[in-house]
Amino acid sequence: MTDTTKYAEWSRESLIERLLFLEKQRNEAAVTNDIPAVETDQTNDPAIDTDVGINVDIDAGVDVDADGKNAQKSRKQSKRERQFDFGKFSERKVALKFSYFGWPYHGLARQGNALGSEEKREIESQFPTVEGEIFKALAKCKLITGESECDYSRCGRTDRGVSGFGQVIALYVRSTGKYVSEEEAAEIERNAIAEIVREERNGNRPVALPPNERELPYVNMLNKSLPPEIRILAWAPVKSDFSARFSCKSRFYRYFFSGDGLDIDAMRDAARRYVGTRDFRNFCRLDPAKQITNFERTVIDIAINPVPPKVSFVGNGQCPESKWWQLELRGTAFLWHQVRCMVAILFLVGQGLEAPNIVDQMLDVQGVGGKPEYEMAADTPLVLADCVFDRADVDWIYVRNPGQDAANMATLDRDILRQWSHLNTQAIIAGALLQNLRNTVIPVPESLKSVEGMGVLEDQEDRWANCRARYAQSEKQRVNHVVVGGGAIKVLRNYVPILDRK
């Protein structure tokens, strides 16, 4: 119970004034259905005698002392809890270009409205997606009113584990653009002071858009709220009818792999057969729920090139496992898992398990009775490297003030370099362990002393690296595994050619 003796010395007028003050505070807080601790301002409240430091115990449970510290804290809390009024701001449509490492996430696309309910938020927490993290950042920065109200579109949907260097989304976000009257809009347009837009999103009211350097710093705002694996690289103002999916002219993929044990020339021969507009139904994952009837897609160009030595972060090494290659593939659009299926067939050709013309045979959908069963290539080495748009539709802004503000790019460089350093440290440690193992001297097994094509080994002991080479040579005649990329293999007893499978 409240100790009423604390109010014993208060006059009737002071008590009434105090009650009216508290009632006003509660009524204002009730507007947002969130009643905070009662705000008490000792400098303006005549009910408190600041000279004697009276403590007032009210129903809200706040002790107010003479120095007003708790009152100041309560005011700050009230400001933090105040609802953000989106109605005061205009919106504009923008495209965002971003990168992400795919391995920590369950794909790019969120499952429904990721933030729409407690259940959805729990699912997103257990199975995080790249889009889910982006929407959480957008909401935290007060850039959108909701996921379903922002006219959202994505360029390409990537699977779990797949990364992106140049993924693109488009949506409406809060802007610093100012609402103006029709008279002001006419004056602004007449003098070419700013661009005036009238969109349904803004109630068709005229909005004076700011210069790009005066717009909200979308890149910096979002990167401060995103996990380090996801980085916004650039933004661009776009027209209201722009779609990240349908406005895209081409998509560029890369698939990284070790060339150890693979015939690169045979793979190149097979890869060239993909070029053109073809029916790729035997090179994708069929989803009956989507009821796709058109499987024709256009591959613009394809190549298998070594990872350039000038890219010191990956580069070429001396041992076969350290020589890395990249499949570079450009097309207008792709089916579900199409790239990974195409790469899987190239790996079979590279291992000599299939001839290069297997591609021609599988592209002949009339000659193949249904899609053959085979293992898709691994997800981790695949990257959506770029999404290409007409310059007239999208003109990317990487820095707010060209020639002056390099902080954005410097921050991006530093963030990505830190992640590379962390991952490269793990790779170096694993490489050092492998080197130690291969330098280990062991007794030479009898089965390896005489290997066809490698002569007879007289030494009783040798480094495992030398023994391993002889072992690999002896195993060439009986392949017992299939390369699927990313360091993964599928062990087989006997390989059955694809077109012989049921």
Side-chain angles (χ1 to χ4, degrees):
M1 296 180 62
T2 305
D3 184 3
T4 57
T5 60
K6 293 184 178 183
Y7 304 102
E9 298 180 4
W10 287 36
S11 67
R12 183 174 180 273
E13 291 78 15
S14 295
L15 287 171
I16 292 174
E17 189 169 358
R18 180 60 178 166
L19 287 172
L20 292 173
F21 175 81
L22 295 178
E23 185 179 25
K24 179 182 177 183
Q25 294 294 313
R26 285 182 176 275
N27 289 339
E28 291 176 350
V31 174
T32 59
N33 296 320
D34 185 11
I35 302 177
V38 175
E39 180 179 0
T40 305
D41 187 347
Q42 295 185 359
T43 60
N44 297 322
D45 189 355
I48 299 177
D49 186 349
T50 57
D51 292 335
V52 294
I54 298 175
N55 290 328
V56 181
D57 186 3
I58 59 178
D59 290 341
V62 178
D63 290 331
V64 183
D65 53 26
D67 61 11
K69 290 182 179 178
N70 284 329
Q72 184 180 6
K73 180 179 180 181
S74 179
R75 284 195 297 274
K76 290 181 179 179
Q77 181 180 0
S78 180
K79 288 180 180 178
R80 285 197 301 269
E81 294 175 350
R82 191 175 301 156
Q83 237 177 10
F84 189 85
D85 187 1
F86 279 97
K88 294 180 179 179
F89 301 91
S90 65
E91 293 180 277
R92 73 183 305 176
K93 196 168 193 180
V94 302
L96 297 176
K97 184 176 186 178
F98 62 100
S99 66
Y100 54 94
F101 293 134
W103 46 85
Y105 299 102
H106 291 256
L108 168 74
R110 70 205 189 284
Q111 301 301 315
N113 193 329
L115 308 179
S117 65
E118 187 60 37
E119 180 184 6
K120 289 288 188 180
R121 287 191 290 271
E122 180 63 26
I123 293 174
E124 183 64 33
S125 175
Q126 293 181 7
F127 306 99
T129 62
V130 176
E131 279 185 352
E133 295 295 335
I134 290 176
F135 272 107
K136 284 191 282 187
L138 288 165
K140 184 177 180 180
C141 295
K142 301 292 189 294
L143 290 177
I144 59 171
T145 56
E147 295 176 69
S148 57
E149 294 89 26
C150 60
D151 192 25
Y152 178 82
S153 63
R154 73 175 75 90
C155 183
R157 180 170 181 161
T158 56
D159 305 320
R160 175 180 178 175
V162 178
S163 299
F165 290 170
Q167 180 66 272
V168 174
I169 59 175
L171 71 167
Y172 276 94
V173 293
R174 176 167 59 93
S175 170
T176 59
K178 301 297 183 183
Y179 288 114
V180 295
S181 66
E182 289 294 346
E183 293 76 13
E184 291 172 323
E187 180 71 18
I188 291 171
E189 288 182 316
R190 186 164 49 250
N191 295 290
I193 298 173
E195 181 184 356
I196 298 293
V197 295
R198 296 170 179 82
E199 294 189 28
E200 187 176 348
R201 296 286 302 193
N202 296 315
N204 292 317
R205 297 166 61 188
V207 174
L209 293 177
N212 292 333
E213 63 270 15
R214 299 291 298 276
E215 185 55 277
L216 290 172
Y218 297 120
V219 172
N220 293 342
M221 289 173 68
L222 290 169
N223 281 339
K224 289 178 180 178
S225 298
L226 285 167
E229 300 88 6
I230 306 172
R231 295 289 88 182
I232 307 297
L233 304 175
W235 77 280
V238 294
K239 300 296 183 182
S240 59
D241 61 351
F242 177 85
S243 167
R245 178 184 179 187
F246 296 110
S247 299
C248 182
K249 299 304 179 183
S250 66
R251 295 157 177 89
F252 179 50
Y253 281 91
R254 286 178 177 171
Y255 194 99
F256 295 90
F257 61 94
S258 167
D260 186 31
L262 297 176
D263 184 340
I264 300 299
D265 288 336
M267 293 176 67
R268 285 170 168 161
D269 184 3
R272 283 192 289 268
R273 301 166 191 254
Y274 286 128
V275 176
T277 301
R278 310 295 182 88
D279 188 319
F280 283 95
R281 71 183 65 200
N282 292 326
F283 295 89
C284 70
R285 183 174 177 180
L286 301 175
D287 185 0
K290 294 184 177 181
Q291 298 182 337
I292 296 177
T293 58
N294 180 14
F295 294 91
E296 282 196 350
R297 296 295 185 271
T298 300
V299 172
I300 298 172
D301 54 63
I302 189 170
I304 298 177
N305 296 315
V307 176
K310 63 182 179 182
V311 184
S312 58
F313 299 132
V314 280
N316 295 324
Q318 296 301 315
C319 60
E321 299 95 326
S322 295
K323 187 168 185 177
W324 283 79
W325 298 80
Q326 55 187 350
L327 174 77
E328 298 174 323
L329 173 65
R330 189 181 305 277
T332 54
F334 295 88
L335 298 164
W336 190 21
H337 290 164
Q338 180 183 336
V339 178
R340 291 170 61 188
C341 288
M342 293 169 66
V343 172
I345 300 303
L346 295 182
F347 281 152
L348 295 177
V349 172
Q351 286 186 274
L353 299 172
E354 299 285 351
N357 68 351
I358 185 63
V359 172
D360 297 322
Q361 294 174 293
M362 291 179 65
L363 286 172
D364 180 12
V365 296
Q366 301 300 325
V368 178
K371 181 193 172 186
E373 291 292 328
Y374 58 91
E375 189 83 8
M376 280 195 307
D379 49 24
T380 304
L382 180 60
V383 176
L384 175 57
D386 197 15
C387 302
V388 180
F389 299 85
D390 283 342
R391 186 70 177 269
D393 293 333
V394 182
D395 192 4
W396 294 114
I397 301 170
Y398 290 89
V399 295
R400 297 183 72 195
N401 297 297
Q404 298 177 14
D405 179 17
N408 179 36
M409 296 299 287
T411 300
L412 284 172
D413 187 283
R414 182 173 61 250
D415 290 345
I416 297 172
L417 180 61
R418 285 173 179 168
Q419 294 178 78
W420 173 83
S421 297
H422 172 72
L423 296 171
N424 199 48
T425 299
Q426 295 176 326
I428 288 174
I429 291 173
L433 174 60
L434 189 61
Q435 186 179 34
N436 286 347
L437 176 66
R438 294 188 177 180
N439 284 332
T440 302
V441 176
I442 64 169
V444 178
E446 289 296 327
S447 60
L448 298 183
K449 288 186 175 180
S450 179
V451 175
E452 184 179 354
M454 298 191 73
V456 178
L457 183 65
E458 301 293 343
D459 297 332
Q460 298 302 309
E461 293 184 341
D462 202 350
R463 294 168 57 246
W464 166 240
N466 295 332
C467 295
R468 177 182 177 278
R470 300 177 73 84
Y471 176 79
Q473 177 67 19
S474 67
E475 287 292 298
K476 276 187 176 181
Q477 304 306 318
R478 49 181 190 276
V479 176
N480 62 351
H481 69 268
V482 171
V483 173
V484 293
I489 61 171
K490 183 176 181 180
V491 178
L492 303 172
R493 289 187 177 180
N494 296 294
Y495 181 77
V496 178
I498 283 184
L499 297 184
D500 293 341
R501 300 177 189 178
K502 295 182 181 180

